[in-house]
Amino acid sequence: MRTPLPTPAPAAAPERTVAAWSLPVWAAVLASAAAGLLLDLASAPVGWWPVTFVSVTVALVALIGRSIGGALLVGTVFGAVFYTTHLMWVGEFLGPVPWLALAGLEAALFGVGAVPIALAYRWAARYPARGLVQLLAVPPLIGGLWASREVVMGAWPYSGFPWARVGMTQVGGPLAEVASWTSVTGLSLLIVVVCAAGVQWIRAGGIRFLVGLHPAVSIAALLVIAPQFPTAPAGEFRVGWVQGNGPTGYFDDKTPGEVLAAQTAATVPLYGQPMDLLAWPEGGVDADPLNAPATAAGLDRVVKAAGAPLLMNAATTRGADVFNTSLLWTADPAGRQWHDKVNPVPFGEYVPDRWFYELIAPDLVGLIQREYTPGSNPPLVQVGDVGVGLAICFDVIYDTVIWDAVRAGAEVFVFQTNNADFRGTDENLQQLAFARMRAIETGRAVVNVSTVGTSQVIAPDGTTLDSLDVDTTGAAITTVPLREGVTPGVRLGPWLSFPLVLGSGTILAALGLSSRRHALSAGGTHEGKGNSARWA
């Protein structure tokens, strides 16, 4: 009798991976372009903040499965669509060349920053779709790489341009308060983590794997319920602020002293009313009061009539250097203080490597005659026993300026700006969104005073206390709350940026090395064999 052979046990089904989950290159390019447009709609002035999550999610999906060249293409398309639409106001000053040059540079940098994200997805593809690596480790890495790109672009080249950040899109929504705990960079990180976790859930099976949605839902819930970090009340402060609406544009026709005259005339209705500080905008004085006795005498008369020190701004010369300076002008010369703008705007307030750019566009570069020197003094003036933090125009977008002011003792902020060169554009509302976020992030009231608008007084929770529309002459006295205490966002912010870049890069490198070793030990190559030379 023949003994039957044993029936072999059925082989275990291989665990699902995410290796082949990607869009065709044409679809990825179209999706990335749509995502760039959506991010602009999520930002000021439209401010549809929930659209940010759609934009980031689509952008991440477009990068999955891409080669280095494909990631560069897809990321650059996103950046080109976003920055050309978001920064159209740049062309108002010097025409389309600076606008397209800045948008093109930012798009290229954004595209380069997309490559590490694509590599992270590629190198992690060998792990099971429903495993802990894909669900719990990949999303923080993707978030870290995205936020690292924001940090690098905000610091380089020429001091960087941290104007467009994912976290900033949330200023009008319920998540803005998270910035007081994490800083704007941390908020960007968490938003991308939520989106990346959602993408990983979809890749792992979507509604057929509901437990995989837990990371995205949990983090999103924390973002929604997190309250603003409480800062301590420290009294009240009466600020008079004046929007003179004078001819303060770079190419405006004006006679010497006309800007000062416009500011002075607009201030007259405030005379005789009690105030602790009178604030004028950037460029509110068109001569250097440190070297022009007539201008200094005019400011003395304003201070005497107002019965309060005047925070004004002018170009000042000290030795061979020219600065964009905010001066606290007091009746007693010994009590005068000043702060110089930390980050003069390249190609606006100075021309870096002028000799080189004059070879490329001599006529345009020749129009920019001013050469401001970066300041190094603290962004703070002391008005009696009250510390007033400062940021001059675009300095509001640089984290360190704001953080330095808080750590130096700022209990309230005054942001001075001149938007005259961008009349009729979105620039002033985009900058105003930064002012609102800074109020929330620091837990301080903000007086944002402009030459031509929009001027606004913002409470520590980001709500508007007082406002004056564009192209309007006006003045008001607003009582604002003072606050003490340093928020975690300010305290931890400086310790987040560089370690974030270093940590994300190190983890990505380790993942790449592990992927290579695994491929060699398996006798093959890592996922993507045969596609490395394709733009796919």
Side-chain angles (χ1 to χ4, degrees), residues 57-451:
T57 299
V58 173
L60 295 180
V61 169
L63 288 173
I64 296 172
R66 302 274 75 82
S67 65
I68 291 176
L72 184 63
L73 171 64
V74 169
T76 301
V77 167
F78 181 108
V81 172
F82 172 69
Y83 285 105
T84 52
T85 53
H86 194 64
L87 301 178
M88 289 183 67
W89 50 266
V90 174
E92 190 75 11
F93 182 38
L94 291 174
V97 173
W99 163 47
L100 296 176
L102 177 59
L105 173 62
E106 295 298 300
L109 294 174
F110 196 91
V112 171
V115 173
I117 296 174
L119 290 176
Y121 279 125
R122 180 176 294 274
W123 290 337
R126 66 185 176 90
Y127 293 99
R130 297 183 177 183
L132 294 181
V133 171
Q134 292 288 358
L135 295 176
L136 298 182
V138 169
L141 175 58
I142 299 300
L145 292 171
W146 187 299
S148 294
R149 175 172 54 187
E150 291 189 350
V151 170
V152 173
M153 292 177 65
W156 183 87
Y158 305 131
S159 76
F161 188 60
W163 187 266
R165 301 155 74 177
V166 166
M168 278 303 307
T169 65
Q170 302 303 298
V171 68
L175 308 186
E177 295 175 336
V178 176
S180 67
W181 297 89
T182 66
S183 78
V184 177
T185 296
L187 180 54
S188 291
L189 168 67
L190 292 172
I191 290 170
V192 179
V193 169
V194 170
C195 296
V199 169
Q200 295 304 92
W201 167 65
I202 295 172
R203 299 175 80 193
I207 58 175
R208 298 188 304 274
F209 183 54
L210 289 179
V211 70
L213 191 57
H214 178 70
V217 171
S218 298
I219 298 173
L222 288 175
L223 293 179
V224 171
I225 67 175
Q228 183 181 15
F229 181 85
T231 48
E236 294 182 331
F237 196 64
R238 294 166 299 185
V239 181
W241 49 279
V242 182
Q243 182 173 294
N245 202 35
T248 52
Y250 195 70
F251 297 119
D252 285 355
D253 291 329
K254 51 183 173 287
T255 58
E258 188 174 354
V259 173
L260 174 58
Q263 279 296 134
T264 302
T267 305
V268 170
L270 302 185
Y271 292 162
Q273 302 181 53
M275 66 183 102
D276 300 303
L277 176 69
L278 175 62
W280 283 4
E282 178 194 28
V285 177
D286 46 357
D288 180 1
L290 301 179
N291 295 289
T295 301
L299 297 179
D300 286 340
R301 290 191 291 271
V302 171
V303 168
K304 181 177 180 181
L310 168 66
L311 182 65
M312 43 72 62
N313 175 277
T316 64
T317 301
R318 274 160 273 153
D321 295 324
V322 180
F323 300 90
N324 184 340
T325 305
S326 290
L327 288 126
L328 183 69
W329 199 265
T330 58
D332 180 5
R336 293 169 187 168
Q337 307 162 51
W338 61 77
H339 163 68
D340 302 312
K341 189 174 185 179
V342 179
N343 299 283
V345 179
F347 307 102
E349 294 178 316
Y350 79 106
V351 180
D353 301 319
R354 180 181 282 268
W355 66 271
F356 173 75
Y357 292 104
E358 283 182 339
L359 296 176
I360 300 175
D363 293 337
L364 283 175
V365 172
L367 293 173
I368 306 172
Q369 296 299 315
R370 51 193 176 193
E371 287 286 335
Y372 286 136
T373 300
S376 58
N377 39 21
L380 184 85
V381 292
Q382 202 72 27
V383 181
D385 60 352
V386 175
V388 178
L390 306 176
I392 303 172
C393 200
F394 282 2
D395 259 1
V396 71
I397 70 178
Y398 292 94
D399 293 336
T400 54
V401 175
I402 306 302
W403 297 340
D404 287 348
V406 173
R407 289 194 295 267
E411 299 168 273
V412 63
F413 275 102
V414 175
F415 297 156
Q416 298 164 286
T417 184
N418 178 11
N419 306 112
D421 287 317
F422 307 109
R423 285 188 178 98
T425 73
D426 295 338
E427 182 273 342
N428 86 92
L429 295 179
Q430 291 177 8
Q431 186 176 336
L432 190 61
F434 265 95
R436 289 184 62 195
M437 182 61 86
R438 295 309 189 184
I440 297 168
E441 181 184 30
T442 64
R444 264 72 174 167
V446 168
V447 179
N448 187 82
V449 57
S450 169
T451 50

Side-chain angles (χ1 to χ4, degrees), residues 27-39 55 58-59 62 74 77-82:
V29 169
L30 292 178
S32 194
L37 182 60
L38 288 174
L39 190 61
S55 171
V58 173
V74 169
V77 167
F78 181 108
V81 172
F82 172 69

Side-chain angles (χ1 to χ4, degrees), residues 453-480:
T454 301
S455 296
Q456 200 165 87
V457 182
I458 305 164
D461 63 358
T463 57
T464 301
L465 298 176
D466 213 341
S467 183
L468 195 60
D469 289 336
V470 296
D471 298 326
T472 304
T473 302
I477 297 176
T478 306
T479 299
V480 298

